Structures are given as C-alpha cells and as structure tokens.
Amino acid sequence: MLRYIRSGAATFFIDDKELSVEKNQIIYVPRNCKLSCYAQTDNFSFTSIRFTTSVFFEGGDFLADYYGIPLITEAQGEEKYFDLIYDYIKSEDPARIYFVRGYLEILIGTMISRADADNYSLLKRNKTDEEYTLEKVRQRIRKSDNRIDSRIQVVVDYIALHPTERYTPESMAKMAELSKQRFSHLFKEQLGKAPMTYLKELRLTTAARKLLVTNDNISDIAYSVGYEDPNYFTREFKHAFGYTPNQYRKSARD
C-alpha cells in the first residue's frame, strides 16, 4: 500500500517499526505487514492506494528488497498521481483500469528512481540474464509463499519477464511440466482466464504503460511486447482499450 499524507501528522506502526509521518510524505506499507495509525493533529488526512504485484521473488518484499523503496518518501510532485488514479477509478471511461495501472506504475517508478545508490547496485546485481532463466524463476517460486500453484506461477513470472518470446499453450504447459489439458485447466482455475488471453492482456497492459512513460514510437512498443505486426497491435490495442495507441497516449497527456 502507498499512503500519501495530505495534511497533519501522525504516528505509524508498521510491524515493529514506529514512524513519525507528516504532510507531503508518501508511506510505503509492504505486503503482509500489520499497520496501525494514530493521528497527532486534529486535521490529519491521507489518500491510500492498495495494490499487488504480479511477480513474486524470493527474499521478502519485492519493492523494498529489490528496488529499495523506503518506508517514507518525501513527495516531490508524486501526489498528482494519487489524484489521477482516483479520478480514473471514479470515471466511467471504459479504459479506466488501464489508466489506473499506468499511473500507479509511474508513481512506483518515480519512487524507485529516487532510491539510494546502494539499492541500485542490488537491483543490477539481481537483474542479470542468468537470474531471469526459467530454472532461476522456478527456484524463486519454490522459496516463495505465494498461494498460486508454483507450476502456474513459474509461467506467469517467466512471460512477465520475457514478453517478446513466442508462446503457445503447448510451450507454456511444457514450462510448467504439465500436460496441455491439465495446464490450461489449472491456469484458468487460478487466474480466471485462458493462458493466451492472459498473455495478450499482459502484453497490451505493458504496452499501455510504455505509452504513458516513454516517447517510443508505436512500432517499437509493439515489437517490445511481442507483436510482429504494428498494425495488428494497433487493432488489438483499440479493441481492448477503446483507443488507438496514439489516442491513448494523447488523452493521458492532455
């Protein structure tokens, strides 16, 4: 959870840590933590955003341990993303969930970019090609406490890290070391959609984020998420979001 302090001051207890917080600070509460809060001023107010990550790694909290996000960050304009996220949550725009995800990733990205240099070194040390091999993903999953079937989680994590590879239900089933039928059944049971549908949504959501946070041209973004035909990518994107990629980028920046 991310909590932006809009006014006043308070004492937060995150597990065994006591924190004094005040206006214009962003508090990061890692998953599975116990949180309590006691206002120290009469006008204490805040905005909270709860979210989950789709990829889990060994070693504890993903954002804190691997990206170095501290428990308290001094806001330097990031409050606008809280406002944008809430505006889209309340809107009737059919593509609102994608704007919410996009602005949430921008918010998290700005916090990561301000992390200490030591944390950047840790990130680089853990983001090597070797660390992202299928076997390394399996090792992480075996050590995690994620409730999704570990065989399915292996596939989910791997395709999130390698969106440009060519996948079929057969190839994903092989990664999970299951028959195609058993894999497809388990995948839909646990994630609520077929493997290829999940893959398409992942690629399009990743593309939507890139449209918001980069100035890359549409073709390059299409290739970067696994589409070989930019025109087909544009048709798929418009079908999913109700906007062409250019319209989506323009509407977010206007």
Side-chain angles (χ1 to χ4, degrees):
M1 177 173 68
L2 293 174
R3 178 168 287 180
Y4 172 65
I5 309 303
R6 293 191 174 276
S7 63
T11 299
F12 277 29
F13 294 90
I14 301 176
D15 286 341
D16 59 346
K17 296 182 177 67
E18 179 178 344
L19 306 171
S20 295
V21 303
E22 58 187 25
K23 180 180 178 180
N24 207 41
Q25 290 182 329
I26 299 173
I27 315 306
Y28 172 54
V29 183
R31 67 190 182 102
N32 299 327
C33 286
K34 293 181 180 179
L35 171 67
S36 57
C37 173
Y38 301 92
Q40 302 295 343
T41 58
D42 292 336
N43 64 341
F44 180 64
S45 65
F46 57 82
T47 300
S48 295
I49 298 174
R50 296 179 182 271
F51 62 93
T52 59
T53 56
S54 60
V55 179
F56 297 92
F57 291 98
E58 66 182 272
D61 181 72
F62 180 53
L63 294 179
D65 294 347
Y66 283 84
Y67 284 100
I69 288 184
L71 295 180
I72 298 178
T73 299
E74 297 292 332
Q76 296 181 8
E78 291 88 353
E79 64 274 10
K80 65 184 177 183
Y81 298 122
F82 285 85
D83 294 334
L84 285 165
I85 289 169
Y86 266 79
D87 286 345
Y88 273 107
I89 286 175
K90 294 182 292 184
S91 79
E92 297 300 322
D93 192 318
R96 61 186 180 277
I97 188 61
Y98 298 100
F99 284 104
V100 169
R101 290 175 180 172
Y103 284 121
L104 176 59
E105 292 205 22
I106 295 173
L107 171 59
I108 294 172
T110 60
M111 296 177 69
I112 290 172
S113 70
R114 293 167 54 194
D116 292 339
D118 288 345
N119 292 318
Y120 277 118
S121 298
L122 178 62
L123 169 61
K124 291 176 181 178
R125 192 161 61 248
N126 284 283
K127 287 184 67 175
T128 63
D129 290 340
E130 186 220 358
E131 289 290 324
Y132 281 175
T133 63
L134 182 58
E135 183 54 34
K136 289 293 181 180
V137 171
R138 286 197 179 108
Q139 290 174 12
R140 291 190 182 104
I141 297 303
R142 285 195 290 267
K143 295 178 181 179
S144 77
D145 60 357
N146 190 27
R147 294 181 181 179
I148 296 178
D149 187 296
S150 62
R151 296 165 296 183
I152 302 302
Q153 190 67 56
V154 164
V155 179
V156 170
D157 286 5
Y158 188 82
I159 64 177
L161 297 168
H162 304 85
T164 61
E165 291 190 16
R166 292 187 177 184
Y167 297 98
T168 64
E170 291 82 2
S171 67
M172 287 190 278
K174 185 176 181 180
M175 291 167 58
E177 300 178 334
L178 293 166
S179 68
K180 175 187 171 184
Q181 182 177 7
R182 179 60 175 160
F183 168 74
S184 297
H185 173 76
L186 276 178
F187 196 102
K188 188 169 185 178
E189 178 182 71
Q190 299 195 12
L191 295 178
K193 57 195 69 178
M196 297 306 290
T197 300
Y198 180 89
L199 174 63
K200 181 174 76 171
E201 291 182 359
L202 172 68
R203 285 172 166 169
L204 291 174
T205 301
T206 302
R209 176 181 58 81
K210 288 177 179 287
L211 288 165
L212 292 177
V213 303
T214 75
N215 292 316
D216 295 348
N217 65 51
I218 305 303
S219 294
D220 288 343
I221 290 176
Y223 297 138
S224 74
V225 297
Y227 282 87
E228 298 179 359
D229 182 350
N231 292 324
Y232 179 65
F233 163 73
T234 296
R235 292 195 297 272
E236 290 274 282
F237 192 95
K238 185 174 182 179
H239 183 264
F241 291 82
Y243 296 85
T244 67
N246 277 322
Q247 290 170 338
Y248 182 90
R249 173 179 273 167
K250 186 176 184 300
S251 67
R253 294 180 177 180
D254 285 346

